[in-house]
Amino acid sequence: MKSLRNQQWSKVKKKLDSFICDSLRNRVQFTVTNYRKTHDQLGRAFITVDKKEVLNMCTIISNREMYWKEIEIRNAKSIEYDVYNRKENYQIGIQAHEMTKAEGIFAQYDFFDAVEQYFHLPIEKALKSDDMVIKILSLIDRRVGKRTLQGMRESMENEKEIIQYFYNLRYEADVKKEAVI
């Protein structure tokens, strides 16, 4: 299977856009920008709502935060950096990455990984995912109905602010709108 990172963004975007519910189709946009002059030529992915950027997934910002998290982990555990201890460095890197993602700081590659997983998950599992990006994508998914959204209302109080934002966006676009009519 070909990784999304190696596919043309236009094809991935077209597929991603096809999952957006009708009420948000012209309001939510996904954009990917690559910076050719960076060493890895990665850039950022971002989601806009009504042309306002609401989620920025910048690789440079994410990598910087992961670097500081690694230092934080090493200081907390009194572990000195050893270039030859690859296993320890890898484990600390993974832990720093998970901490960074838990804070809602994502890299462009996190976006692509989440989109790839989202494409292969049943919507019920996507809605319950621990990955914030997958959960966001599932909240605006056309396969999620009004009753499902209403049933999630109480559980949303415990979610991160960005998850609540997308839930409320969808709820107001579909459920509240129908209550007014």
Side-chain angles (χ1 to χ4, degrees):
M1 186 174 88
K2 194 175 181 183
S3 170
L4 289 184
R5 291 188 216 175
N6 299 326
Q7 290 183 28
Q8 276 188 336
W9 166 239
S10 59
K11 289 180 182 179
V12 175
K13 182 177 178 4
K14 187 174 183 176
K15 185 174 181 180
L16 197 54
D17 287 344
S18 74
F19 281 97
I20 299 174
C21 65
D22 289 340
S23 60
L24 297 177
R25 182 146 295 142
N26 295 322
R27 296 180 63 195
V28 176
Q29 295 285 313
F30 304 100
T31 307
V32 169
T33 302
N34 290 317
Y35 302 118
R36 290 179 300 156
K37 294 187 180 185
T38 60
H39 72 285
D40 55 9
Q41 294 189 359
L42 287 176
R44 68 187 188 113
F46 54 98
I47 302 174
T48 58
V49 175
D50 299 327
K51 297 186 167 87
K52 180 184 173 216
E53 190 175 302
V54 293
L55 183 60
N56 177 15
M57 295 162 278
C58 179
T59 304
I60 295 167
I61 292 170
S62 175
N63 287 349
R64 182 188 65 216
E65 290 302 314
M66 285 185 348
Y67 170 78
W68 291 114
K69 292 286 183 223
E70 286 183 26
I71 290 172
E72 196 176 294
I73 293 165
R74 288 182 187 284
N75 288 341
K77 296 180 179 180
S78 299
I79 301 171
E80 283 195 39
Y81 182 78
D82 178 3
V83 70
Y84 298 109
N85 195 340
R86 289 184 180 156
K87 185 176 179 183
E88 181 180 76
N89 295 338
Y90 178 76
Q91 292 301 324
I92 290 172
I94 294 292
Q95 190 179 351
H97 186 224
E98 291 305 315
M99 290 168 68
T100 304
K101 283 175 51 178
E103 291 178 6
I105 302 168
F106 303 98
Q108 184 188 58
Y109 54 82
D110 293 323
F111 173 71
F112 281 120
D113 290 347
V115 169
E116 189 161 16
Q117 288 178 47
Y118 167 73
F119 284 161
H120 295 96
L121 281 174
I123 193 62
E124 299 79 22
K125 286 189 178 183
L127 283 167
K128 294 177 181 164
S129 176
D130 290 332
D131 188 298
M132 281 190 251
V133 177
I134 293 173
K135 194 169 270 190
I136 287 167
L137 296 174
S138 64
L139 286 170
I140 61 174
D141 192 305
R142 62 181 157 72
R143 298 172 292 171
V144 176
K146 292 174 185 85
R147 274 184 264 147
T148 302
L149 286 170
Q150 288 171 322
M152 297 172 68
R153 190 108 185 112
E154 218 172 278
S155 67
M156 280 297 131
E157 294 172 13
N158 301 323
E159 292 288 352
K160 299 270 188 199
E161 192 176 319
I162 191 70
I163 304 282
Q164 289 178 12
Y165 172 83
F166 278 96
Y167 173 80
N168 289 327
L169 178 74
R170 176 68 188 277
Y171 188 86
E172 289 171 14
D174 283 348
V175 180
K176 269 192 170 179
K177 179 183 84 172
E178 191 162 290
V180 172
I181 295 174

